[in-house]
Amino acid sequence: MSSAIHQQTGVFPSVCSLDCPDQCGLLVHKENGKIVKIEGDPSHPVTQGAICNKVRNMGERIYDAKRLQYPMKRTGKKGSGQFERITWEEAIETITSHWKKTIAEYGSEAIMPYSFYGNMGLIGTEGMDRRFFHRLGATRLKYSICSAAGSEGYSYTMGAGVGTDPEETVHTKLFIMWGINTVSTNMHQVVLAEKARKNGAQVVVIDVHKNQTGRWADWFIPIKPGTDAALALGLMHILFDEKMTDDAFLQEYTVGHEELRQHVRQYDPVTVSGITGVPVEDIYKLARMYGQTSPSFIRIGNGPQHHDNGGMCIRTISCLPALTGQWLVRGGGAIKGNGSVLVHNEFALMRPDLLPGKVRQVNMNQLGSALLELDPPIRSMYVYNSNPAVVAPESNKVRKGLEREDLFTVVHDLFLTETAKYADIVLPATSAFENTDFYASYWHHYIQIQQPVIEPYGESKSNVDVFRLLAQAMGFEDQALRDTDEELIRQALDNPANPAIAGITYEALVERQYVKADVKPLFPGKLQTPSGKIELYSQAMEKKGYPPLPTYTPLCEDEDLPFLFIPGPNHNFLNSTFSNNEKHVRMEKTQKLHMNAKDAEARGIQNGELVRVWNSRGECELTASVGEDVLPGVVVSQGLWADAPGGKRNVNALTPDRIADMGGGATFFSGRVQVDKLLASSS
Ligand SMILES: Nc1nc2c(c(=O)[nH]1)N[C@H]1C(S)=C(S)[C@@H](COP(=O)(O)OP(=O)(O)OC[C@H]3O[C@@H](n4cnc5c(=O)[nH]c(N)nc54)[C@H](O)[C@@H]3O)O[C@H]1N2
Ligand SMILES: Nc1nc2c(c(=O)[nH]1)N[C@H]1C(S)=C(S)[C@@H](COP(=O)(O)OP(=O)(O)OC[C@H]3O[C@@H](n4cnc5c(=O)[nH]c(N)nc54)[C@H](O)[C@@H]3O)O[C@H]1N2
Ligand code: SF4
Ligand SMILES: [Mo]
């Protein structure tokens, strides 16, 4: 096989590396050794040649003049962004000699990695990196910033991250997009719903913000933030009451349906309307629509689970398809995430057996407290695949932690991010197009391979290469820290515990680029819950001190301020990725704060004016977008924007670092704020 990297010109298959459920097949066009165009791979069975604008313009990012080309060491104050060029030898020597001293003086738990999925490639995010930090004995990170609360909640009901095969949703007649901004965050689910719509399917969107997805819906249902569990329980009340349940399915495949039937009596439509703000007649209408339409499908998003009660909320919503027996219907059911479908051999890839013994763990959502308060302290942090100064909650606390003179920070990234500006050593990272890796979608059922299309940019290196170098310089002899990229992929794919991926081998991936898992329908079958059935009543939850039946719990008390603040992602960035690329910033235009006209009027705020959003945690300056897109008492922003000179754009300055009810999850959307008109003279 002649590899793409050695051909100066041509079109090469590839896969999108970003943290996005669609995981598109790509075609990368190369001329004279450079990428000139990126488009969708029309042969990919799910994504079928369509890709988002962000990645269509990815070339701007790959060749952005601001991209890091060589290692650097800090010369100015932390956060000032002043650095000078050093060699890789000096960088690796500086890091490892610092770490050897730290370990000798304070033990290996004084060092902590911080990472997420800036690149979803598995050998670079859950492979050589994990092996290295396990062998080092570093403090472990709890990877809870994204979907942890909801995943735990969903698993109490369904046993694991398993749901409908999205390809089947072309048959669906009713789509409920529940707390998901599908148009921006899962565009191929929209494409599939559009196909179904041609056959008469209806699209309902339940959200706190009438954004692009709400505008696309046949019926948009606005709801008060953090109250979705109450709505789901109200629907169950009516489904039982009006005998729209599939009792044969409940009998055969669930436990606790009689307890649930009794339990939901208290959630009558009037009570539920009082909690959720959804009118009583709409609750009836939705329940009857759901009870009488088949196949029906619920796409459960991340919105409702980024709240204090997020785990229980997703646990509750995920009971609905069982009541109507939709799991047996082609195109029916739900997807919260399909992350458990393609599980590879995690033990073989991450090698937790390299750990020296029990080491402490830090929840990544409480990075600020960890850096400022942990005892014994974190003395060194190694950041890769993530930009915590922007994406982590309570970012003023995070940045204060990063300012610590005695914290030795290394950041490996493609750009000098807000986080990298606080680093002692900055290392340049290759883009995914420069690496070998494999990718498993958490939505569709395909595993894909990436082989390098272009040469490494400047002196940049992949995560895997850097960890191999660090291991060598630390004097670690283990073979596990020397394995090649190909060996890592082979070890991961060899997973007898998951027969669905038995046909997905390294050879098959190299030959075909993407391979579908052989996934059996969930029913008839046995789930991974303790009973093997859908657990409407969960003893496992009871043992852990949760209510065993789905329940509505209100949000925690935050500050006594008038607005709930929902700072979600936006259309043209991917979390904070692209927020430092001019083209994408231009596409996104302004950073807005959506507020209800009544609230704006009460404060004398006009559409398009700058406003100050604040609470005791911090402040932010955004442009008011006044209208009826949000309910009174709610304000919504979109996007994790890069810092700009003179601008206060960091929405996570306002978000709480409280932990959700399950999974150690984040509570980005449960914070309260005040909003004031910002007079030009006061800034
Ligand atoms: N374009 C783009 N795509 C992305 C990303 C991106 O940044 N940009 N990020 C990627 C990542 S990492 C993730 S996790 C996913 C996230 O994508 P989604 O699953 O869509 O999650 P969010 O956009 O966080 O929130 C979804 C919706 O929930 C709403 N919401 C907030 N609180 C509530 C509530 O209490 N109830 C209800 N019903 N709705 C609520 C918000 O208004 C928002 O419209 O998208 C991925 N795809
Ligand atoms: N307010 C608010 N905050 C949020 C959210 C929200 O909805 N609202 N969403 C949360 C969610 S769901 C998530 S998933 C997190 C995401 O948070 P992060 O995972 O931190 O995501 P990004 O901001 O995309 O940052 C990824 C970084 O990795 C770098 N990178 C890309 N590829 C590589 C590589 O191969 N190697 C190395 N070393 N670096 C690489 C990119 O350049 C980028 O700087 O944010 C969370 N933060
Ligand atoms: S970001 Fe999502 S939609 Fe865009 S190309 Fe990547 S996988 Fe596809
Ligand atoms: Mo995420």
Side-chain angles (χ1 to χ4, degrees), residues 614-650:
W614 60 271
N615 59 22
S616 71
R617 294 179 281 263
E619 63 175 334
C620 200
E621 293 172 5
L622 307 174
T623 304
S625 174
V626 176
E628 301 299 324
D629 290 346
V630 295
L631 294 171
V634 179
V635 288
V636 172
S637 73
Q638 291 187 313
L640 301 173
W641 292 64
D643 292 351
K648 293 180 181 152
R649 307 173 120 190
N650 181 14

Side-chain angles (χ1 to χ4, degrees), residues 421-481:
K421 287 184 186 145
Y422 291 90
D424 296 281
I425 301 285
V426 174
L427 304 174
T430 44
S431 76
F433 296 126
E434 295 152 47
N435 299 341
T436 301
D437 213 324
F438 81 105
Y439 292 79
S441 167
Y442 50 90
W443 175 64
H444 62 60
H445 288 177
Y446 294 77
I447 290 184
Q448 305 177 68
I449 194 166
Q450 172 70 57
Q451 293 180 289
V453 177
I454 48 172
E455 298 279 355
Y457 187 77
E459 295 181 3
S460 62
K461 292 188 192 293
S462 72
N463 296 351
V464 180
D465 281 339
V466 177
F467 287 111
R468 274 191 287 250
L469 285 177
L470 289 169
Q472 198 183 10
M474 288 301 292
F476 298 159
E477 304 277 328
D478 316 62
Q479 178 55 39
L481 300 170

Side-chain angles (χ1 to χ4, degrees), residues 140-155:
R140 302 176 79 182
L141 195 68
K142 188 170 174 66
Y143 296 90
S144 48
I145 206 167
C146 178
S147 59
S151 297
E152 183 173 336
Y154 186 87
S155 292

Side-chain angles (χ1 to χ4, degrees), residues 15-26 38 47 50-56 184-188 574 578:
V15 48
C16 178
S17 63
L18 297 176
D19 187 352
C20 170
D22 300 57
Q23 203 152 95
C24 293
L26 304 179
I38 296 167
T47 60
I51 60 167
C52 67
N53 236 351
K54 306 184 284 296
V55 170
R56 204 175 288 290
S184 294
T185 63
N186 187 192
M187 64 173 272
H188 295 89
L574 201 298
F578 299 118

Side-chain angles (χ1 to χ4, degrees), residues 19 21 54 146 178-181 184-185 206-209 211 223 225-226 228 301-304 307 566 569-571 573-575 669:
D19 187 352
K54 306 184 284 296
C146 178
W178 202 321
I180 181 164
N181 183 5
S184 294
T185 63
I206 305 170
D207 205 295
V208 303
H209 178 208
N211 52 34
I223 188 168
D228 300 81
N302 245 25
H307 283 287
I566 315 289
N570 65 5
H571 190 76
F573 305 163
L574 201 298
N575 301 315
F669 300 162

Side-chain angles (χ1 to χ4, degrees), residues 44 268 303 348 528 630 639:
H44 191 286
D268 62 88
Q528 292 171 48
V630 295

